[in-house]
Amino acid sequence: MISKNTIDTVFETARVEEVIGDFVVLKRSGTNLKGLSPFSNEKSPSFMVSPVKQIWKDFSSGKGGNAVAFLMEHEHFSYPEAIRYLAKKYNIEIEETVQTDAQKEQMNERESMYLVSEYAQRYFQDIMMNTDEGQAIGYSYFKERGFTGETIKKFGLGYSPEGYDAFSKDALGKGYKLEYLEKTGFTIVREDGRMADRFRGRVMFPIQSMSGRVLGFGGRILGNDKKVAKYLNSPESDIYHKSKVLYGIFHAKQAIAKKDNCYLVEGYTDVIQMHQAGIENVVASSGTALTPDQIRLISRLTKNITVLFDGDAAGLRASIRGIDLILEEGMNVKVCGFPDGDDPDSFAKRTPHDELVAYLENNAKDFIQFKASLLMDEAKQDPVKKAGLIRDMVTSISKIPDRIQREVYIQETARIMDISEQVLVSTLAQLATKDIAEADKKLKEERAAQTMKPVKDEFTAEQVRIDILDRVERKIIEILLLYGGNTEEFEDVYIKFDEFGKEFEHTERKEYKVYERIYLNLQEDEIQFANPVFRDLYKATIDYYMAHELLEADAFLNALPQELQQVVADIYMQEERYHVHEWEERKQIPVKHKNMTIAAYTTEHIVDLRWLLLGRLVQDLKLQVTPDGDNMEILMSVMDYNTLVNYLSRKFSRLRSHFY
């Protein structure tokens, strides 16, 4: 593992504007830098970099964070890969933490396997480009496929010579150990001790990781020997797991993220030909059946997949099998076919770029439309077949995790297939999990009874309540980040009684750090933030203040996980926008009335949050009341909380009347 000292040195040395400047053209805008978003197509720059705070924010996509977060988003590096990239950029020596002998051995073994694979890629390409055999067999094959020299170089294509052990001997001569040649699958050692090259006489397709490291190879035989497999992949190893990798992901990752869509094809040449035709957001499952791990790899870049299948029946069946798996992972899926006799490779090869783009856009169907047109054609006028095919469509819908999306697809299926929604909902209930079945049964009962609002209306109302609470929780986090270290005078109002028992308000003023005041107030009710992201960020911010008293933006940001960095960067950058356009002084707060201080602004939002969360707690307690149970303890708790809610309501009203 990389030592903490190295990581700290990287964060102290790396400048976010320099790192991002390698990928995005930035121009000065006040104290900040601006540029066009690298994550979306835009004409007006909304990508902002703050050299002072060492953060960036892309207002078009919502992404943000520090230099490491940018590399993880833009280059799709893992955290260690981003640290290593920055260490190399700034000439920082990487220290490794103390490891056991077993850990060192495992790490050295994996690294040795990577080095062997990367050497193999160079060797195969060199053989193809610089030997008579390579030129006559390997290079001529790729040229016949229509690949240019630039494309061949981009994808690292090569050729493994016919010699029985040519590669193995060369690798051993260069100092690579036979142990790693075996473990990566390049060399097969016979029982008599003789070596044999696994891929001899094949054209070679390197398979790379998301970060570009060579994991394994696919090799295609060029002869007509039916006893030999047409394609041969590297065997499973510590660095290559075919079910967890996608061919072309390294070259496609930026285009997938920018286009917010991934084209999924079947073979290596499909990917390469599409790239050469200008469609770069495309990957292949490398000749294996699509797996959940491969889909999750795409989901890091986009939630949208378009499956491109061959015009033949085999390609069609493979696409149908993959659809349900994609849906089950919560992805959106479309399907696009090609004319009979065509596949993505051949179609892209003979179709001009603009026509290819138009074809893909115009012929990509939503999976429901695709299945409906396909299945109805198969069923024709056979009612039994039609019933079975409708069930097949509902089976696909049942894989979708999101209930609202399932509801929409049920409605669309009912319309297309001319069948009652009730029947489809009932069928869905039989196929789905227990929770989904119960939810859909309830939906059916509600529609039949016509006694309640539609689910869509209920969802909207609930969403409004959640949105209000979200905004207040975010505002508390914003106050903590911007003013948490300030010392302010806060006002406390207590209800007291005089000697005659008459109620009156007693006011006390006391100085607190803003973060202390927020922490103490929320601790009084033992309440937690409802939004888990804000809950984690609140804890991290309070913990940081407890340890340091003042919050240094860059140091605090660097200590956060990436998902929290984006929220913090968003708040800081939004504050920068207000600073440039509306605020006259750095410490001025964006409030609705000039007389409101930071203390009052803080108190108002604390009261808002406590009021909302306590009200929610009261509602939850009321739901626990049962007709025949012992509800005394619950009712007493409700009364106590209602008293506090009423007090907060009065305080809330008094605050508002004082400042507005």
Side-chain angles (χ1 to χ4, degrees):
M1 291 175 61
I2 303 172
S3 70
K4 185 178 185 302
N5 183 52
T6 299
I7 294 172
D8 290 343
T9 303
V10 165
F11 277 120
E12 288 168 8
T13 308
R15 300 292 302 172
V16 69
E17 66 273 23
E18 294 172 352
V19 175
I20 294 176
D22 291 340
F23 303 93
V24 180
V25 177
L26 298 172
K27 294 183 179 179
R28 179 66 59 180
S29 176
T31 59
N32 296 319
L33 300 167
K34 267 190 171 184
L36 293 172
S37 168
F39 303 107
S40 61
N41 292 314
E42 62 177 14
K43 295 181 180 178
S44 300
S46 68
F47 184 85
M48 188 183 291
V49 178
S50 171
V52 176
K53 294 189 176 73
Q54 284 297 293
I55 58 175
W56 60 276
K57 177 67 184 176
D58 178 27
F59 289 96
S60 67
S61 67
K63 301 177 188 293
N66 57 13
V68 170
F70 177 83
L71 291 171
M72 292 174 72
E73 286 286 354
H74 191 267
E75 294 300 292
H76 305 288
F77 287 156
S78 65
Y79 183 84
E81 287 169 344
I83 294 295
R84 289 183 187 278
Y85 173 92
L86 291 173
K88 184 177 180 181
K89 177 179 174 66
Y90 288 97
N91 297 313
I92 298 168
E93 186 177 349
I94 296 176
E95 297 176 1
E96 304 286 348
T97 55
V98 177
Q99 297 171 309
T100 66
D101 290 341
Q103 287 174 324
K104 286 180 181 177
E105 186 178 339
Q106 184 181 20
M107 183 175 178
N108 290 337
E109 181 173 302
R110 285 175 58 85
E111 188 60 30
S112 295
M113 292 171 73
Y114 279 125
L115 292 174
V116 165
S117 297
E118 285 158 8
Y119 163 73
Q121 188 274 317
R122 295 192 301 273
Y123 171 86
F124 295 139
Q125 188 159 79
D126 181 65
I127 288 291
M128 184 175 73
M129 302 302 293
N130 299 308
T131 68
D132 291 340
E133 180 186 349
Q135 284 278 314
I137 302 174
Y139 194 70
S140 64
Y141 168 78
F142 289 126
K143 295 301 285 185
E144 284 172 13
R145 298 303 299 245
F147 299 157
T148 65
E150 185 181 349
T151 297
I152 290 170
K153 185 177 179 181
K154 175 181 178 179
F155 284 90
L157 306 178
Y159 172 74
S160 179
E162 285 280 4
Y164 194 77
D165 56 2
F167 168 77
S168 300
K169 280 185 176 178
D170 192 88
L172 290 171
K174 295 288 195 303
Y176 295 97
K177 293 183 179 180
L178 180 60
E179 174 189 359
Y180 302 121
L181 295 175
E182 277 193 280
K183 286 184 175 179
T184 47
F186 292 111
T187 302
I188 300 169
V189 179
R190 306 292 186 190
E191 290 182 3
D192 60 4
R194 292 180 64 200
M195 297 182 303
D197 292 346
R198 178 182 298 271
F199 294 108
R200 60 187 184 276
R202 293 175 182 266
V203 288
M204 302 298 290
F205 299 85
I207 300 168
Q208 295 171 282
S209 69
M210 183 85 83
S211 62
R213 300 208 79 171
V214 179
L215 306 175
F217 286 82
R220 186 191 192 281
I221 199 74
L222 299 180
N224 297 317
D225 189 348
K226 294 183 179 179
K227 296 179 181 179
V228 180
K230 184 177 179 181
Y231 276 97
L232 184 65
N233 275 22
S234 294
E236 294 279 312
S237 70
D238 283 349
I239 65 170
Y240 177 62
H241 304 279
K242 62 183 179 182
S243 65
K244 296 182 179 181
V245 67
L246 289 161
Y247 181 73
I249 191 72
F250 171 65
H251 297 292
K253 60 186 181 181
Q254 290 186 26
I256 292 171
K258 196 163 188 176
K259 299 288 186 182
D260 195 21
N261 183 47
C262 176
Y263 290 115
L264 181 65
V265 296
E266 189 176 348
Y268 305 122
T269 57
D270 294 328
V271 170
I272 297 170
Q273 198 69 256
M274 291 284 281
H275 267 261
Q276 189 166 282
I279 308 294
E280 297 189 340
N281 52 324
V282 56
V283 297
S285 56
S286 303
T288 65
L290 193 64
T291 68
D293 284 327
Q294 290 172 331
I295 298 168
R296 290 182 199 120
L297 198 60
I298 297 172
S299 72
R300 289 168 55 185
L301 307 170
T302 181
K303 289 295 179 185
N304 305 303
I305 294 179
T306 303
V307 179
L308 305 183
F309 65 89
D310 298 354
D312 60 13
L316 193 60
R317 285 194 297 272
S319 299
I320 292 173
R321 283 195 300 271
I323 287 174
D324 288 357
L325 205 56
I326 296 169
L327 292 171
E328 203 162 355
E329 292 299 321
M331 304 282 279
N332 306 314
V333 59
K334 289 186 176 182
V335 188
C336 180
F338 294 94
D340 287 343
D342 264 323
D343 56 24
D345 179 359
S346 61
F347 192 80
K349 183 178 179 180
R350 63 178 176 79
T351 307
H353 173 75
D354 291 346
E355 291 182 26
L356 178 58
V357 171
Y359 181 88
L360 295 175
E361 288 179 355
N362 296 333
N363 289 274
K365 296 180 180 178
D366 186 87
F367 85 94
I368 279 294
Q369 295 174 328
F370 167 73
K371 271 201 166 184
S373 60
L374 173 71
L375 301 178
M376 284 301 290
D377 185 57
E378 287 184 6
K380 299 190 184 301
Q381 301 302 315
D382 188 331
V384 175
K385 277 190 177 180
K386 182 178 177 181
L389 298 177
I390 291 173
R391 176 175 287 274
D392 185 88
M393 292 170 69
V394 176
T395 299
S396 292
I397 295 172
S398 73
K399 305 294 183 183
I400 300 172
D402 183 75
R403 181 181 173 184
I404 302 300
Q405 204 171 356
R406 289 199 310 273
E407 168 83 4
V408 171
Y409 278 122
I410 283 289
Q411 293 172 355
E412 182 68 6
T413 302
R415 184 188 66 79
I416 293 172
M417 305 303 287
D418 191 24
I419 191 171
S420 161
E421 273 186 54
Q422 272 191 320
V423 172
L424 297 181
V425 170
S426 177
T427 306
L428 183 62
Q430 296 170 24
L431 298 170
T433 62
K434 183 179 178 182
D435 287 343
I436 296 173
E438 288 176 357
D440 287 326
K441 183 179 179 183
K442 183 179 177 182
L443 174 62
K444 183 181 175 183
E445 291 169 353
E446 287 171 352
R447 285 182 168 175
Q450 297 271 319
T451 56
M452 296 181 69
K453 291 182 179 179
V455 169
K456 186 165 64 175
D457 292 342
E458 290 178 0
F459 174 80
T460 303
E462 177 62 21
Q463 190 62 54
V464 168
R465 287 193 290 272
I466 292 170
D467 286 348
I468 292 171
L469 186 55
D470 248 25
R471 285 198 295 270
V472 175
E473 290 183 348
R474 180 186 170 90
K475 188 60 68 175
I476 295 288
I477 297 296
E478 181 182 306
I479 292 168
L480 275 172
L481 293 174
L482 300 180
Y483 317 111
N486 289 20
T487 300
E488 302 289 335
E489 185 179 71
F490 287 86
E491 179 183 285
D492 280 314
V493 180
Y494 301 98
I495 305 298
K496 292 196 172 185
F497 299 89
D498 62 18
E499 56 185 316
F500 302 106
K502 186 177 179 181
E503 180 182 304
F504 70 96
E505 290 184 353
H506 172 69
T507 303
E508 290 182 4
R509 290 181 174 84
K510 186 177 178 181
E511 284 191 345
Y512 293 92
K513 292 278 190 183
V514 171
Y515 80 84
E516 292 175 334
R517 180 68 173 188
I518 292 173
Y519 177 74
L520 292 171
N521 272 223
L522 297 187
Q523 281 292 101
E524 285 178 15
D525 307 316
E526 297 182 354
I527 54 179
Q528 286 190 323
F529 281 50
N531 185 314
V533 173
F534 293 146
R535 188 186 311 148
D536 291 345
L537 189 50
Y538 171 75
K539 183 180 184 305
T541 311
I542 291 295
D543 287 349
Y544 191 92
Y545 274 119
M546 295 290 191
H548 303 89
E549 290 203 355
L550 289 175
L551 188 145
E552 297 178 5
D554 53 348
F556 174 65
L557 197 73
N558 291 338
L560 294 175
Q562 188 182 0
E563 63 271 16
L564 299 186
Q565 285 183 16
Q566 290 199 12
V567 180
V568 174
D570 184 46
I571 289 171
Y572 277 134
M573 283 305 193
Q574 291 288 0
E575 189 255 357
E576 287 282 347
R577 279 188 161 187
Y578 286 125
H579 177 58
V580 172
H581 297 112
E582 298 178 20
W583 302 358
E584 293 180 1
E585 297 179 6
R586 175 66 181 80
K587 291 296 181 184
Q588 186 178 344
I589 59 176
V591 296
K592 298 175 183 176
H593 195 282
K594 63 182 179 181
N595 294 329
M596 182 173 276
T597 63
I598 290 174
Y601 185 66
T602 303
T603 301
E604 178 187 32
H605 286 92
I606 291 172
V607 171
D608 277 352
L609 183 63
R610 293 173 72 190
W611 189 29
L612 284 165
L613 290 175
L614 285 169
R616 193 178 190 181
L617 186 58
V618 168
Q619 291 300 318
D620 289 343
L621 285 169
K622 286 179 178 178
L623 292 173
Q624 296 176 29
V625 175
T626 56
D628 304 319
D630 182 4
N631 300 310
M632 184 56 66
E633 187 175 344
I634 296 174
L635 293 173
M636 291 297 291
S637 296
V638 169
M639 289 174 64
D640 290 341
Y641 281 125
N642 270 332
T643 301
L644 185 53
V645 169
N646 291 333
Y647 162 71
L648 290 171
S649 297
R650 293 203 303 274
K651 189 170 183 177
F652 182 80
S653 299
R654 196 175 65 81
L655 272 169
R656 289 296 171 97
S657 63
H658 183 71
F659 288 107
Y660 299 102

